[in-house]
Amino acid sequence: MTTAGKTDIDSELSDLAELARTFFTTTVAPQREQFAEQGFPSREVYRQAGELGLLCMSIPEEYGGGGGTFAHEAVLFTEQVKGGDSAMQLGVHTGIVPHYLLAYASESNKKRWLPKLASGEWIGAIAMTEPGTGSDLQNIATKAVKDGDDYLVTGAKTFISNGHNCDLLIIAVKTDPTQGAKGVSLVVAEVTDDTPGFERGRILKKVGQKGQDTTELFFDNLRVPQANLLGAEGEGFIQLMQQLPQERLICGVAAAAAIEAAVSETLAYVKQRHAFGKPLFAMQNTKFELAECATIAEVVRTFVDAAVDKHLRGALDVKTAAMVKYWTTDQQSAVIDRCVQLHGGYGYMEEYPIARMWADGRISRIYAGANEVMKDLIARFL
């Protein structure tokens, strides 16, 4: 890329960051308490994001997307974290679901589904995790049995982000229960509250991210057209492995932003908070703690930016993505915990941003594959 090209894209991403920052701080953040109380964000904020062009930015324009790259998505996720929003699950809606459709759906289905996700008319979700499997995706029990031109889907999923709001749902199923990983397939269901064979369970009450709808889903002979199969039968596990690196990179992008936000918030606090007649920042321990946290933030940012660059070149491998996901989210938890400590008792109060960061961030070491699973993946390549 020429220097001029770099300047152009830098300017474009800077403008995007300002647009996204304004959206999250002026439109979404004021509704934080309402979303937390009801357990899900309003559908309107997705439509507003769509109107601003913030959804599906890395999807080609012919399918209603922005025609950009993952760099645009990374800016969006960064500004969402720094804007204090954890209700809109955009990582799933715009960073994960559309890319399964783009890669594996039929041309007619791509033209039907992607524009509705890009506009915010529909909200997307992906149902992988089951009550008895967790990260063990090859042993899922939800099954899809052929019936005429359809599949009949039966089973249960849990911890499904966007489960309460979703209109489009990618479901990991077993089309051949005897084949283990080779029997896993992905099917897409268009769902409403009235869809026969489909039931939304309770919105799960979480320690953090209380405004984000994480839900149980149940299927009892849910009828899904065979034309909604992604790719071919038995390719689901491979498709998941191909798409999971981006999901794990999204976790790293969010972790980097969360660490930077926590350090910035804590610096502001310790410089204005006094104890024993002087600002907390005047104390050596506070300086040393924040010096270490700021250094970690810099290292995490460098690591994540390098991984994003790799991904933009199509070179992000499974091992590196797992490294990014596990290490950055571990650092996120550690740094934010130290920042809570520097806030003292106020760090445990929900009205303080650092307390929400602490509660919202803990799940990052668990979802998208628990960090222990990430270490096992890394070890396979050593």
Side-chain angles (χ1 to χ4, degrees):
M1 182 184 291
T2 65
T3 302
K6 285 184 178 180
T7 301
D8 290 343
I9 189 63
D10 288 346
S11 176
E12 181 180 313
L13 294 177
S14 178
D15 290 344
L16 170 60
E18 184 176 350
L19 176 65
R21 188 179 309 125
T22 301
F23 171 68
F24 288 116
T25 56
T26 65
T27 300
V28 184
Q31 302 181 73
R32 181 188 295 119
E33 296 304 321
Q34 176 193 335
F35 294 166
E37 184 177 345
Q38 66 192 24
F40 58 92
S42 70
R43 299 181 62 85
E44 181 61 25
V45 290
Y46 282 90
R47 286 191 286 269
Q48 290 170 318
E51 289 170 3
L52 291 171
L54 294 175
L55 303 180
C56 298
M57 289 186 288
S58 58
I59 297 299
E61 292 180 7
E62 65 185 291
Y63 303 119
T69 69
F70 182 78
H72 296 81
E73 308 286 6
V75 169
L76 176 70
F77 303 141
T78 296
E79 294 304 327
Q80 181 181 16
V81 170
K82 292 187 175 182
D85 174 53
S86 61
M88 297 181 73
Q89 185 35 286
L90 294 177
V92 170
H93 174 82
T94 195
I96 297 172
V97 169
H99 292 276
Y100 279 90
L101 306 183
L102 181 66
Y104 312 119
S106 67
E107 187 65 19
S108 61
N109 280 337
K110 282 189 275 195
K111 289 179 177 176
R112 171 175 172 76
W113 293 330
L114 287 169
K116 292 181 178 181
L117 294 176
S119 69
E121 177 187 349
W122 280 7
I123 297 173
I126 182 166
M128 293 185 278
T129 306
E130 296 182 357
T133 60
S135 298
D136 186 10
L137 297 178
Q138 62 183 316
N139 287 316
I140 58 174
T142 298
K143 62 182 181 179
V145 178
K146 287 181 178 177
D147 182 69
D149 293 332
D150 300 329
Y151 288 110
L152 296 179
V153 177
T154 301
K157 301 289 184 178
T158 194
F159 306 143
I160 306 307
S161 299
N162 295 347
H164 177 79
N165 275 337
C166 70
D167 308 274
L168 181 141
L169 179 65
I170 300 173
I171 312 171
V173 299
K174 277 287 181 72
T175 44
D176 186 345
T178 68
Q179 290 298 307
K182 294 180 179 179
V184 176
S185 303
L186 300 180
V187 298
V188 179
E190 300 175 20
V191 295
T192 69
D193 291 344
D194 299 323
T195 300
F198 173 71
E199 181 184 352
R200 304 182 202 268
R202 61 197 173 107
I203 298 175
L204 301 170
K205 294 186 180 297
K206 307 183 297 294
V207 172
Q209 300 191 11
K210 294 182 179 180
Q212 193 272 313
D213 54 319
T214 304
T215 313
E216 300 170 319
L217 299 177
F218 302 98
F219 316 107
D220 183 9
N221 288 327
L222 169 65
R223 192 169 288 276
V224 178
Q226 288 186 40
N228 289 12
L229 175 71
L230 294 183
E233 283 191 3
E235 292 182 350
F237 194 77
I238 295 172
Q239 292 165 345
L240 290 166
M241 295 305 103
Q242 290 171 339
Q243 294 296 321
L244 280 169
Q246 176 157 310
E247 180 175 351
R248 289 162 181 163
L249 179 57
I250 290 170
C251 292
V253 169
I259 293 170
E260 290 167 350
V263 171
S264 176
E265 187 72 27
T266 306
L267 268 171
Y269 177 81
V270 299
K271 287 181 178 181
Q272 60 85 29
R273 173 73 173 171
H274 284 67
F276 305 106
K278 56 185 176 181
L280 283 177
F281 191 64
M283 297 180 178
Q284 188 181 65
N285 179 69
T286 304
K287 292 179 179 178
F288 283 8
E289 281 290 288
L290 283 170
E292 290 183 24
C293 289
T295 302
I296 293 169
E298 193 75 19
V299 175
V300 168
R301 170 57 61 193
T302 302
F303 187 23
V304 168
D305 284 354
V308 169
D309 183 64
K310 250 189 175 183
H311 191 43
L312 292 173
R313 293 185 282 108
L316 182 65
D317 56 283
V318 172
K319 181 183 75 171
T320 302
M323 286 177 168
V324 169
K325 194 275 172 181
Y326 121 72
W327 191 76
T328 62
T329 57
D330 267 11
Q331 298 307 312
Q332 176 185 353
S333 285
V335 167
I336 294 177
D337 190 75
R338 293 166 80 170
C339 290
V340 167
Q341 190 71 20
L342 289 173
H343 277 74
Y346 291 105
Y348 205 62
M349 301 297 108
E350 283 191 354
E351 64 263 31
Y352 277 73
I354 198 67
R356 295 194 298 270
M357 292 181 204
W358 181 70
D360 289 344
R362 182 59 181 85
I363 188 61
S364 65
R365 291 159 58 193
I366 298 171
Y367 61 19
N371 283 3
E372 292 75 15
V373 174
M374 296 303 97
K375 294 175 188 177
D376 186 68
L377 275 175
I378 295 163
R380 297 178 193 180
F381 293 91
L382 299 181

Short mmCIF file of all heavy atoms in Angstrom, two decimals, residues 323-376:
data_model
loop_
_atom_site.label_atom_id
_atom_site.label_comp_id
_atom_site.label_asym_id
_atom_site.label_seq_id
_atom_site.Cartn_x
_atom_site.Cartn_y
_atom_site.Cartn_z
N MET A 323 -3.75 -17.78 20.88
CA MET A 323 -2.83 -17.03 21.75
C MET A 323 -3.40 -15.65 22.09
O MET A 323 -3.38 -15.21 23.24
CB MET A 323 -1.47 -16.87 21.06
CG MET A 323 -0.63 -18.13 21.02
SD MET A 323 0.90 -17.82 20.10
CE MET A 323 1.84 -19.30 20.51
N VAL A 324 -3.90 -14.97 21.06
CA VAL A 324 -4.48 -13.64 21.26
C VAL A 324 -5.65 -13.71 22.22
O VAL A 324 -5.73 -12.93 23.18
CB VAL A 324 -4.93 -13.04 19.91
CG1 VAL A 324 -5.77 -11.78 20.13
CG2 VAL A 324 -3.73 -12.71 19.03
N LYS A 325 -6.54 -14.65 21.98
CA LYS A 325 -7.75 -14.73 22.79
C LYS A 325 -7.42 -15.01 24.26
O LYS A 325 -7.92 -14.32 25.17
CB LYS A 325 -8.67 -15.81 22.23
CG LYS A 325 -10.10 -15.77 22.78
CD LYS A 325 -10.26 -16.50 24.08
CE LYS A 325 -11.64 -16.27 24.68
NZ LYS A 325 -11.84 -16.96 25.96
N TYR A 326 -6.57 -16.00 24.50
CA TYR A 326 -6.30 -16.39 25.89
C TYR A 326 -5.48 -15.33 26.62
O TYR A 326 -5.81 -14.92 27.74
CB TYR A 326 -5.62 -17.78 25.94
CG TYR A 326 -4.27 -17.80 26.60
CD1 TYR A 326 -4.13 -17.64 27.98
CD2 TYR A 326 -3.10 -17.97 25.85
CE1 TYR A 326 -2.88 -17.64 28.58
CE2 TYR A 326 -1.86 -17.96 26.44
CZ TYR A 326 -1.75 -17.79 27.81
OH TYR A 326 -0.52 -17.77 28.40
N TRP A 327 -4.42 -14.84 25.98
CA TRP A 327 -3.49 -13.98 26.71
C TRP A 327 -4.07 -12.59 26.96
O TRP A 327 -3.96 -12.04 28.05
CB TRP A 327 -2.16 -13.87 25.98
CG TRP A 327 -1.12 -13.21 26.83
CD1 TRP A 327 -0.43 -13.75 27.87
CD2 TRP A 327 -0.68 -11.86 26.72
NE1 TRP A 327 0.42 -12.83 28.42
CE2 TRP A 327 0.29 -11.65 27.74
CE3 TRP A 327 -1.00 -10.80 25.86
CZ2 TRP A 327 0.92 -10.43 27.92
CZ3 TRP A 327 -0.37 -9.58 26.04
CH2 TRP A 327 0.59 -9.41 27.06
N THR A 328 -4.72 -12.03 25.94
CA THR A 328 -5.25 -10.68 26.11
C THR A 328 -6.39 -10.65 27.11
O THR A 328 -6.51 -9.69 27.90
CB THR A 328 -5.73 -10.08 24.78
OG1 THR A 328 -6.80 -10.88 24.25
CG2 THR A 328 -4.60 -10.01 23.77
N THR A 329 -7.24 -11.67 27.11
CA THR A 329 -8.36 -11.66 28.07
C THR A 329 -7.89 -11.97 29.49
O THR A 329 -8.46 -11.45 30.45
CB THR A 329 -9.46 -12.65 27.64
OG1 THR A 329 -8.92 -13.97 27.51
CG2 THR A 329 -10.08 -12.24 26.32
N ASP A 330 -6.83 -12.77 29.61
CA ASP A 330 -6.22 -12.95 30.94
C ASP A 330 -5.68 -11.62 31.46
O ASP A 330 -5.86 -11.26 32.63
CB ASP A 330 -5.07 -13.97 30.86
CG ASP A 330 -5.52 -15.39 31.18
OD1 ASP A 330 -6.75 -15.63 31.27
OD2 ASP A 330 -4.65 -16.27 31.33
N GLN A 331 -5.01 -10.87 30.58
CA GLN A 331 -4.47 -9.57 30.97
C GLN A 331 -5.59 -8.58 31.28
O GLN A 331 -5.46 -7.76 32.20
CB GLN A 331 -3.57 -9.02 29.86
CG GLN A 331 -2.35 -9.86 29.56
CD GLN A 331 -1.53 -10.16 30.80
OE1 GLN A 331 -1.22 -9.25 31.59
NE2 GLN A 331 -1.18 -11.42 31.01
N GLN A 332 -6.67 -8.66 30.52
CA GLN A 332 -7.83 -7.81 30.79
C GLN A 332 -8.33 -8.00 32.21
O GLN A 332 -8.53 -7.03 32.95
CB GLN A 332 -8.94 -8.13 29.79
CG GLN A 332 -10.24 -7.36 30.03
CD GLN A 332 -11.34 -7.80 29.07
OE1 GLN A 332 -11.12 -8.59 28.15
NE2 GLN A 332 -12.55 -7.31 29.30
N SER A 333 -8.52 -9.23 32.61
CA SER A 333 -9.01 -9.52 33.97
C SER A 333 -8.02 -9.03 35.01
O SER A 333 -8.40 -8.42 36.02
CB SER A 333 -9.24 -11.02 34.14
OG SER A 333 -10.42 -11.43 33.49
N ALA A 334 -6.74 -9.28 34.79
CA ALA A 334 -5.71 -8.92 35.77
C ALA A 334 -5.59 -7.41 35.93
O ALA A 334 -5.53 -6.88 37.04
CB ALA A 334 -4.37 -9.53 35.37
N VAL A 335 -5.54 -6.69 34.80
CA VAL A 335 -5.37 -5.24 34.86
C VAL A 335 -6.59 -4.57 35.48
O VAL A 335 -6.46 -3.70 36.35
CB VAL A 335 -5.10 -4.67 33.46
CG1 VAL A 335 -5.23 -3.14 33.45
CG2 VAL A 335 -3.71 -5.09 32.98
N ILE A 336 -7.79 -4.98 35.05
CA ILE A 336 -8.98 -4.33 35.60
C ILE A 336 -9.12 -4.62 37.09
O ILE A 336 -9.53 -3.75 37.86
CB ILE A 336 -10.24 -4.77 34.82
CG1 ILE A 336 -10.15 -4.24 33.38
CG2 ILE A 336 -11.51 -4.28 35.50
CD1 ILE A 336 -11.30 -4.66 32.49
N ASP A 337 -8.74 -5.80 37.51
CA ASP A 337 -8.78 -6.10 38.95
C ASP A 337 -7.84 -5.17 39.72
O ASP A 337 -8.19 -4.68 40.80
CB ASP A 337 -8.39 -7.56 39.18
CG ASP A 337 -8.66 -8.01 40.61
OD1 ASP A 337 -9.84 -8.23 40.94
OD2 ASP A 337 -7.70 -8.11 41.39
N ARG A 338 -6.67 -4.92 39.18
CA ARG A 338 -5.73 -4.01 39.84
C ARG A 338 -6.30 -2.58 39.86
O ARG A 338 -6.12 -1.84 40.83
CB ARG A 338 -4.38 -4.05 39.12
CG ARG A 338 -3.68 -5.39 39.27
CD ARG A 338 -2.52 -5.57 38.31
NE ARG A 338 -1.31 -4.89 38.76
CZ ARG A 338 -0.12 -5.06 38.19
NH1 ARG A 338 0.00 -5.89 37.15
NH2 ARG A 338 0.94 -4.43 38.65
N CYS A 339 -6.98 -2.21 38.80
CA CYS A 339 -7.59 -0.88 38.75
C CYS A 339 -8.73 -0.74 39.75
O CYS A 339 -8.92 0.33 40.35
CB CYS A 339 -8.07 -0.58 37.34
SG CYS A 339 -6.73 -0.33 36.13
N VAL A 340 -9.51 -1.81 39.93
CA VAL A 340 -10.54 -1.81 40.96
C VAL A 340 -9.91 -1.56 42.33
O VAL A 340 -10.41 -0.76 43.14
CB VAL A 340 -11.33 -3.14 40.96
CG1 VAL A 340 -12.19 -3.27 42.22
CG2 VAL A 340 -12.21 -3.24 39.72
N GLN A 341 -8.81 -2.23 42.59
CA GLN A 341 -8.12 -2.08 43.88
C GLN A 341 -7.68 -0.63 44.10
O GLN A 341 -7.79 -0.11 45.22
CB GLN A 341 -6.92 -3.02 43.94
CG GLN A 341 -6.26 -3.13 45.30
CD GLN A 341 -7.13 -3.90 46.30
OE1 GLN A 341 -8.03 -4.64 45.90
NE2 GLN A 341 -6.86 -3.72 47.59
N LEU A 342 -7.21 0.01 43.06
CA LEU A 342 -6.77 1.39 43.19
C LEU A 342 -7.94 2.35 43.43
O LEU A 342 -7.74 3.45 43.95
CB LEU A 342 -5.99 1.81 41.94
CG LEU A 342 -4.60 1.17 41.79
CD1 LEU A 342 -4.00 1.53 40.43
CD2 LEU A 342 -3.66 1.60 42.91
N HIS A 343 -9.14 1.94 43.07
CA HIS A 343 -10.32 2.74 43.35
C HIS A 343 -10.80 2.56 44.79
O HIS A 343 -11.67 3.30 45.25
CB HIS A 343 -11.47 2.36 42.41
CG HIS A 343 -11.43 3.03 41.07
ND1 HIS A 343 -10.53 2.69 40.09
CD2 HIS A 343 -12.19 4.03 40.55
CE1 HIS A 343 -10.75 3.42 39.02
NE2 HIS A 343 -11.75 4.26 39.26
N GLY A 344 -10.28 1.56 45.49
CA GLY A 344 -10.75 1.29 46.84
C GLY A 344 -12.21 0.86 46.83
O GLY A 344 -12.67 0.21 45.89
N GLY A 345 -12.94 1.25 47.87
CA GLY A 345 -14.34 0.84 47.98
C GLY A 345 -15.19 1.30 46.82
O GLY A 345 -16.16 0.63 46.43
N TYR A 346 -14.84 2.46 46.23
CA TYR A 346 -15.62 2.96 45.10
C TYR A 346 -15.51 2.04 43.88
O TYR A 346 -16.39 2.03 43.02
CB TYR A 346 -15.18 4.38 44.74
CG TYR A 346 -15.54 5.38 45.81
CD1 TYR A 346 -14.57 5.90 46.67
CD2 TYR A 346 -16.86 5.80 45.98
CE1 TYR A 346 -14.91 6.81 47.67
CE2 TYR A 346 -17.20 6.71 46.98
CZ TYR A 346 -16.22 7.21 47.81
OH TYR A 346 -16.55 8.11 48.80
N GLY A 347 -14.43 1.29 43.81
CA GLY A 347 -14.26 0.37 42.70
C GLY A 347 -15.24 -0.77 42.71
O GLY A 347 -15.38 -1.48 41.71
N TYR A 348 -15.93 -0.94 43.84
CA TYR A 348 -16.90 -2.03 43.96
C TYR A 348 -18.34 -1.53 43.80
O TYR A 348 -19.29 -2.29 43.93
CB TYR A 348 -16.73 -2.70 45.33
CG TYR A 348 -17.21 -4.12 45.39
CD1 TYR A 348 -16.63 -5.10 44.60
CD2 TYR A 348 -18.24 -4.49 46.26
CE1 TYR A 348 -17.06 -6.42 44.67
CE2 TYR A 348 -18.68 -5.81 46.34
CZ TYR A 348 -18.09 -6.76 45.54
OH TYR A 348 -18.52 -8.06 45.61
N MET A 349 -18.48 -0.23 43.52
CA MET A 349 -19.79 0.37 43.36
C MET A 349 -20.19 0.38 41.89
O MET A 349 -19.43 0.84 41.03
CB MET A 349 -19.78 1.81 43.89
CG MET A 349 -19.41 1.93 45.38
SD MET A 349 -20.61 1.10 46.46
CE MET A 349 -19.63 -0.33 47.00
N GLU A 350 -21.40 -0.07 41.59
CA GLU A 350 -21.82 -0.24 40.21
C GLU A 350 -21.86 1.07 39.42
O GLU A 350 -21.75 1.06 38.20
CB GLU A 350 -23.20 -0.91 40.16
CG GLU A 350 -23.17 -2.41 40.42
CD GLU A 350 -24.49 -3.07 40.10
OE1 GLU A 350 -25.46 -2.35 39.79
OE2 GLU A 350 -24.55 -4.31 40.16
N GLU A 351 -22.04 2.20 40.12
CA GLU A 351 -22.11 3.45 39.36
C GLU A 351 -20.76 3.90 38.82
O GLU A 351 -20.67 4.79 37.99
CB GLU A 351 -22.72 4.58 40.22
CG GLU A 351 -21.90 4.97 41.43
CD GLU A 351 -22.38 4.29 42.70
OE1 GLU A 351 -22.89 3.15 42.61
OE2 GLU A 351 -22.23 4.90 43.77
N TYR A 352 -19.69 3.27 39.30
CA TYR A 352 -18.36 3.59 38.79
C TYR A 352 -18.05 2.70 37.59
O TYR A 352 -18.21 1.47 37.64
CB TYR A 352 -17.30 3.40 39.88
CG TYR A 352 -17.18 4.59 40.80
CD1 TYR A 352 -18.16 4.87 41.75
CD2 TYR A 352 -16.11 5.48 40.70
CE1 TYR A 352 -18.07 5.98 42.58
CE2 TYR A 352 -16.01 6.59 41.52
CZ TYR A 352 -17.00 6.84 42.45
OH TYR A 352 -16.91 7.94 43.26
N PRO A 353 -17.59 3.29 36.48
CA PRO A 353 -17.31 2.52 35.27
C PRO A 353 -16.38 1.34 35.51
O PRO A 353 -16.53 0.28 34.88
CB PRO A 353 -16.68 3.55 34.32
CG PRO A 353 -17.24 4.85 34.77
CD PRO A 353 -17.36 4.74 36.27
N ILE A 354 -15.38 1.49 36.41
CA ILE A 354 -14.42 0.42 36.61
C ILE A 354 -15.09 -0.84 37.15
O ILE A 354 -14.69 -1.96 36.83
CB ILE A 354 -13.26 0.88 37.53
CG1 ILE A 354 -12.06 -0.06 37.37
CG2 ILE A 354 -13.70 0.98 38.98
CD1 ILE A 354 -11.40 -0.01 36.02
N ALA A 355 -16.12 -0.67 37.98
CA ALA A 355 -16.84 -1.82 38.52
C ALA A 355 -17.57 -2.56 37.42
O ALA A 355 -17.60 -3.80 37.38
CB ALA A 355 -17.82 -1.37 39.61
N ARG A 356 -18.18 -1.80 36.50
CA ARG A 356 -18.88 -2.43 35.38
C ARG A 356 -17.89 -3.14 34.45
O ARG A 356 -18.19 -4.22 33.94
CB ARG A 356 -19.70 -1.39 34.62
CG ARG A 356 -20.83 -0.79 35.44
CD ARG A 356 -21.81 -0.03 34.55
NE ARG A 356 -21.19 1.09 33.89
CZ ARG A 356 -21.13 2.33 34.39
NH1 ARG A 356 -21.63 2.57 35.59
NH2 ARG A 356 -20.56 3.31 33.70
N MET A 357 -16.74 -2.52 34.22
CA MET A 357 -15.71 -3.16 33.39
C MET A 357 -15.28 -4.49 34.00
O MET A 357 -15.08 -5.48 33.28
CB MET A 357 -14.48 -2.26 33.26
CG MET A 357 -14.69 -1.00 32.47
SD MET A 357 -13.11 -0.08 32.39
CE MET A 357 -13.70 1.58 32.10
N TRP A 358 -15.13 -4.50 35.32
CA TRP A 358 -14.69 -5.71 36.03
C TRP A 358 -15.73 -6.82 35.88
O TRP A 358 -15.38 -7.96 35.53
CB TRP A 358 -14.48 -5.35 37.50
CG TRP A 358 -14.02 -6.47 38.38
CD1 TRP A 358 -12.80 -7.08 38.40
CD2 TRP A 358 -14.78 -7.09 39.42
NE1 TRP A 358 -12.76 -8.04 39.38
CE2 TRP A 358 -13.96 -8.07 40.02
CE3 TRP A 358 -16.08 -6.91 39.90
CZ2 TRP A 358 -14.40 -8.87 41.07
CZ3 TRP A 358 -16.52 -7.70 40.96
CH2 TRP A 358 -15.67 -8.68 41.53
N ALA A 359 -17.01 -6.49 36.09
CA ALA A 359 -18.07 -7.50 36.00
C ALA A 359 -18.30 -7.92 34.55
O ALA A 359 -18.47 -9.11 34.25
CB ALA A 359 -19.36 -6.96 36.61
N ASP A 360 -18.31 -6.94 33.63
CA ASP A 360 -18.57 -7.26 32.23
C ASP A 360 -17.46 -8.09 31.60
O ASP A 360 -17.71 -8.91 30.72
CB ASP A 360 -18.73 -5.96 31.41
CG ASP A 360 -20.02 -5.22 31.72
OD1 ASP A 360 -20.93 -5.82 32.32
OD2 ASP A 360 -20.11 -4.03 31.36
N GLY A 361 -16.22 -7.86 32.06
CA GLY A 361 -15.08 -8.48 31.39
C GLY A 361 -14.76 -9.90 31.80
O GLY A 361 -14.06 -10.61 31.08
N ARG A 362 -15.28 -10.35 32.93
CA ARG A 362 -14.88 -11.68 33.43
C ARG A 362 -15.23 -12.81 32.46
O ARG A 362 -14.50 -13.81 32.34
CB ARG A 362 -15.51 -11.94 34.80
CG ARG A 362 -15.11 -13.27 35.42
CD ARG A 362 -13.59 -13.38 35.58
NE ARG A 362 -13.18 -14.64 36.15
CZ ARG A 362 -12.97 -15.75 35.44
NH1 ARG A 362 -13.17 -15.75 34.12
NH2 ARG A 362 -12.56 -16.86 36.02
N ILE A 363 -16.32 -12.65 31.73
CA ILE A 363 -16.76 -13.71 30.81
C ILE A 363 -15.79 -13.88 29.65
O ILE A 363 -15.77 -14.92 28.98
CB ILE A 363 -18.17 -13.39 30.28
CG1 ILE A 363 -18.76 -14.56 29.48
CG2 ILE A 363 -18.16 -12.12 29.44
CD1 ILE A 363 -18.90 -15.83 30.26
N SER A 364 -14.95 -12.88 29.39
CA SER A 364 -14.07 -12.93 28.22
C SER A 364 -13.10 -14.10 28.26
O SER A 364 -12.63 -14.56 27.23
CB SER A 364 -13.29 -11.62 28.08
OG SER A 364 -12.41 -11.43 29.16
N ARG A 365 -12.80 -14.60 29.45
CA ARG A 365 -11.90 -15.75 29.57
C ARG A 365 -12.62 -17.07 29.37
O ARG A 365 -12.00 -18.14 29.36
CB ARG A 365 -11.22 -15.73 30.93
CG ARG A 365 -10.22 -14.58 31.08
CD ARG A 365 -9.92 -14.23 32.52
NE ARG A 365 -9.39 -15.36 33.27
CZ ARG A 365 -9.27 -15.38 34.60
NH1 ARG A 365 -9.68 -14.33 35.33
NH2 ARG A 365 -8.77 -16.43 35.20
N ILE A 366 -13.95 -16.99 29.19
CA ILE A 366 -14.76 -18.20 29.07
C ILE A 366 -15.37 -18.35 27.69
O ILE A 366 -15.31 -19.43 27.08
CB ILE A 366 -15.87 -18.21 30.15
CG1 ILE A 366 -15.26 -18.22 31.56
CG2 ILE A 366 -16.81 -19.40 29.97
CD1 ILE A 366 -16.25 -18.02 32.68
N TYR A 367 -15.99 -17.27 27.17
CA TYR A 367 -16.68 -17.45 25.88
C TYR A 367 -15.70 -17.45 24.72
O TYR A 367 -14.52 -17.16 24.88
CB TYR A 367 -17.83 -16.47 25.68
CG TYR A 367 -17.56 -15.00 25.65
CD1 TYR A 367 -16.31 -14.45 25.42
CD2 TYR A 367 -18.63 -14.12 25.84
CE1 TYR A 367 -16.12 -13.09 25.39
CE2 TYR A 367 -18.45 -12.74 25.80
CZ TYR A 367 -17.20 -12.24 25.56
OH TYR A 367 -17.02 -10.88 25.52
N ALA A 368 -16.22 -17.86 23.55
CA ALA A 368 -15.40 -18.06 22.34
C ALA A 368 -14.35 -19.14 22.55
O ALA A 368 -13.32 -19.18 21.88
CB ALA A 368 -14.74 -16.75 21.91
N GLY A 369 -14.61 -20.05 23.47
CA GLY A 369 -13.66 -21.10 23.83
C GLY A 369 -12.92 -20.71 25.09
O GLY A 369 -12.22 -19.69 25.11
N ALA A 370 -13.11 -21.48 26.15
CA ALA A 370 -12.46 -21.17 27.42
C ALA A 370 -10.94 -21.08 27.23
O ALA A 370 -10.37 -21.75 26.37
CB ALA A 370 -12.79 -22.23 28.47
N ASN A 371 -10.30 -20.24 28.03
CA ASN A 371 -8.85 -20.04 27.85
C ASN A 371 -8.04 -21.31 28.04
O ASN A 371 -6.97 -21.47 27.46
CB ASN A 371 -8.36 -18.94 28.79
CG ASN A 371 -8.75 -17.56 28.27
OD1 ASN A 371 -9.42 -17.43 27.26
ND2 ASN A 371 -8.32 -16.53 28.98
N GLU A 372 -8.56 -22.24 28.85
CA GLU A 372 -7.88 -23.54 28.99
C GLU A 372 -7.90 -24.30 27.66
O GLU A 372 -6.93 -24.97 27.29
CB GLU A 372 -8.54 -24.36 30.09
CG GLU A 372 -8.34 -23.81 31.50
CD GLU A 372 -9.20 -22.59 31.80
OE1 GLU A 372 -10.16 -22.31 31.03
OE2 GLU A 372 -8.92 -21.89 32.80
N VAL A 373 -9.02 -24.18 26.93
CA VAL A 373 -9.12 -24.81 25.61
C VAL A 373 -8.14 -24.14 24.64
O VAL A 373 -7.52 -24.79 23.80
CB VAL A 373 -10.57 -24.74 25.09
CG1 VAL A 373 -10.65 -25.25 23.65
CG2 VAL A 373 -11.51 -25.52 25.99
N MET A 374 -8.00 -22.80 24.77
CA MET A 374 -7.05 -22.09 23.91
C MET A 374 -5.63 -22.62 24.13
O MET A 374 -4.87 -22.81 23.18
CB MET A 374 -7.08 -20.58 24.21
CG MET A 374 -8.40 -19.88 23.91
SD MET A 374 -8.98 -20.04 22.21
CE MET A 374 -10.13 -21.42 22.39
N LYS A 375 -5.26 -22.84 25.37
CA LYS A 375 -3.91 -23.34 25.66
C LYS A 375 -3.70 -24.73 25.08
O LYS A 375 -2.62 -25.06 24.57
CB LYS A 375 -3.67 -23.34 27.17
CG LYS A 375 -3.63 -21.95 27.79
CD LYS A 375 -3.51 -22.02 29.30
CE LYS A 375 -3.68 -20.68 29.95
NZ LYS A 375 -3.63 -20.73 31.44
N ASP A 376 -4.74 -25.54 25.15
CA ASP A 376 -4.64 -26.88 24.57
C ASP A 376 -4.47 -26.80 23.05
O ASP A 376 -3.67 -27.54 22.46
CB ASP A 376 -5.90 -27.70 24.91
CG ASP A 376 -5.79 -29.12 24.48
OD1 ASP A 376 -4.96 -29.87 25.07
OD2 ASP A 376 -6.52 -29.55 23.55
#
